Amino acid sequence: MYEVELKAKLNNYEFTKAELLKQKPISTYPVDYYDRYFDTNNALNSTEKELRLRTKTTIDTAEPRHFLTFKESPFDVESKSKPEFETEVLDPEATETILNQLGYTKTLSYTKHCEIFKFTYKDLQLEVALVRLDKLKDTFLEIETLTPYQEKTDALFKILYDFLEGIKIKKNQLTTSYYVDLIKETENTA
């Protein structure tokens, strides 16, 4: 699947949340993501690929679900969007052991606190997340949709840009920085 995604650094978290609520989301809910990244001798990171083990806990139910995700190198340079392959796993500890036995080591972990907003916009299912990270002072917005067809991604990006304009996110707020890199920078300057 092609993850068509844009990320923006927020000027005002509460203002953006109010703008999202004006768009009348289908649903909204809080969720925490505990992300662990794995690599072997920087082989994945150096080509902008990702191997991630995620524990997703919906705050309302407190039920964790676990996902193993592999992301290819970006297919879109401007947004850094990537082809993504994901599967749910039942036992994250066993999955981590398997990864370690295959030569992958955990390079970084962090928790993302998100408010998720689901929309149908121009006949497209969108997921928008307002994001806070324990290890960063800035807050972010992520907007995404998925498609199995790369040839459809340009049209989908146009819809995402249009939605962002409607909630008053400016193009100069968009960022292609990875959270992993931002966290590493913060840790190196601390």
Side-chain angles (χ1 to χ4, degrees):
M1 294 294 270
Y2 291 89
E3 181 183 49
V4 180
E5 179 180 32
L6 297 171
K7 180 167 47 180
K9 190 183 332 184
L10 297 178
N11 296 327
N12 184 315
Y13 186 100
E14 293 303 326
F15 174 82
T16 302
K17 181 176 179 178
E19 289 298 313
L20 284 168
L21 291 172
K22 286 180 192 175
Q23 300 297 318
K24 303 197 182 328
I26 296 167
S27 65
T28 180
Y29 55 92
V31 63
D32 282 347
Y33 297 102
Y34 174 51
D35 289 348
R36 287 87 83 200
Y37 287 85
F38 295 83
D39 206 339
T40 178
N41 298 320
N42 205 38
L44 297 176
N45 188 53
S46 65
T47 56
E48 296 187 72
K49 295 178 183 176
E50 300 173 38
L51 181 59
R52 179 185 70 208
L53 181 59
R54 169 174 280 173
T55 297
K56 178 179 175 179
T57 305
T58 303
I59 303 304
D60 297 340
T61 64
E63 286 186 37
R65 294 175 65 198
H66 314 283
F67 300 88
L68 183 64
T69 306
F70 177 73
K71 293 188 180 191
E72 290 277 0
S73 299
F75 67 87
D76 181 77
V77 177
E78 190 173 323
S79 69
K80 299 273 186 152
S81 290
K82 302 176 177 186
E84 176 179 289
F85 307 91
E86 184 171 79
T87 188
E88 188 166 4
V89 296
L90 298 178
D91 187 337
E93 289 80 17
T95 303
E96 189 165 337
T97 299
I98 291 167
L99 292 172
N100 290 333
Q101 292 297 315
L102 291 172
Y104 292 94
T105 57
K106 186 170 20 176
T107 57
L108 185 73
S109 63
Y110 60 80
T111 301
K112 253 178 32 171
H113 307 285
C114 299
E115 290 186 73
I116 305 294
F117 300 79
K118 301 274 189 167
F119 295 94
T120 300
Y121 182 75
K122 297 188 176 182
D123 297 323
L124 187 64
Q125 300 303 306
L126 299 180
E127 181 177 287
V128 179
L130 294 179
V131 179
R132 298 178 195 262
L133 294 101
D134 292 339
K135 298 182 178 186
L136 297 175
K137 63 178 176 47
D138 292 320
T139 56
F140 300 87
L141 176 141
E142 298 172 7
I143 182 170
E144 68 179 49
T145 192
L146 296 170
T147 180
Y149 309 106
Q150 185 172 1
E151 61 272 12
K152 291 189 175 187
T153 59
D154 287 344
L156 296 176
F157 276 119
K158 287 178 184 167
I159 293 170
L160 297 188
Y161 286 120
D162 187 57
F163 185 90
L164 290 178
E165 186 178 311
I167 60 167
K168 299 180 176 72
I169 298 289
K170 295 180 173 61
K171 283 204 173 186
N172 67 359
Q173 290 177 255
L174 296 177
T175 180
T176 57
S177 298
Y178 298 119
Y179 296 132
V180 170
D181 294 334
L182 293 172
I183 290 168
K184 285 179 183 176
E185 285 173 22
T186 301
E187 291 175 345
N188 289 337
T189 58

